[in-house]
Amino acid sequence: MAQSSRELLSIGAFLIIVVVAILLFAANLISLGLVIPVILVLSGCWALVLAGVRASNPQKYERGAFSTMSLGLLLIAAGGGWYLFSVNLALYALALILLVVAAIAIAAAVRQK
């Protein structure tokens, strides 16, 4: 898949993610304060999909699949932590973010061996 088509695909996916978040707010399934965390979590899921695409078809001088997967996991952790913090579970939010950072650090250490 060419780089420009991946970029266009990512822009389209991001716009769909924003539409889904707006529709969830309009249906009163989430509050206004949770629109951004939903966008972060869904964008992280999209980054994981892109990591799978990059792993199957690596390009020279392009970000690797591991880097894209790490970014996706961090986006999911940030959005999930924000959600947990908004419902007064601050300790769980911190634990979630630290768990994801630790998992990425372990994966990076294992990958370098």
Side-chain angles (χ1 to χ4, degrees):
M1 185 181 293
Q3 179 66 24
S4 62
S5 64
R6 280 188 197 161
E7 291 172 359
L8 188 58
L9 186 63
S10 291
I11 290 171
F14 181 74
L15 291 176
I16 289 173
I17 288 169
V18 170
V19 167
V20 166
I22 290 171
L23 289 176
L24 288 173
F25 172 69
N28 282 334
L29 296 174
I30 61 173
S31 66
L32 184 60
L34 294 178
V35 170
I36 293 175
V38 167
I39 290 173
L40 284 175
V41 169
L42 293 177
S43 295
C45 293
W46 176 249
L48 291 179
V49 170
L50 280 180
V53 170
R54 287 191 173 158
S56 67
N57 188 14
Q59 301 279 330
K60 191 173 183 180
Y61 304 117
E62 187 179 75
R63 173 177 287 199
F66 182 77
S67 173
T68 306
M69 183 222 33
S70 298
L71 176 67
L73 288 175
L74 286 174
L75 284 172
I76 292 171
W82 190 339
Y83 171 76
L84 289 174
F85 189 76
S86 70
V87 293
N88 293 330
L89 297 174
L91 192 58
Y92 291 114
L94 179 63
L96 174 69
I97 292 171
L98 290 176
L99 177 70
V100 169
V101 170
I104 291 172
I106 291 170
V110 170
R111 183 175 175 255
Q112 291 179 355
K113 282 189 175 184

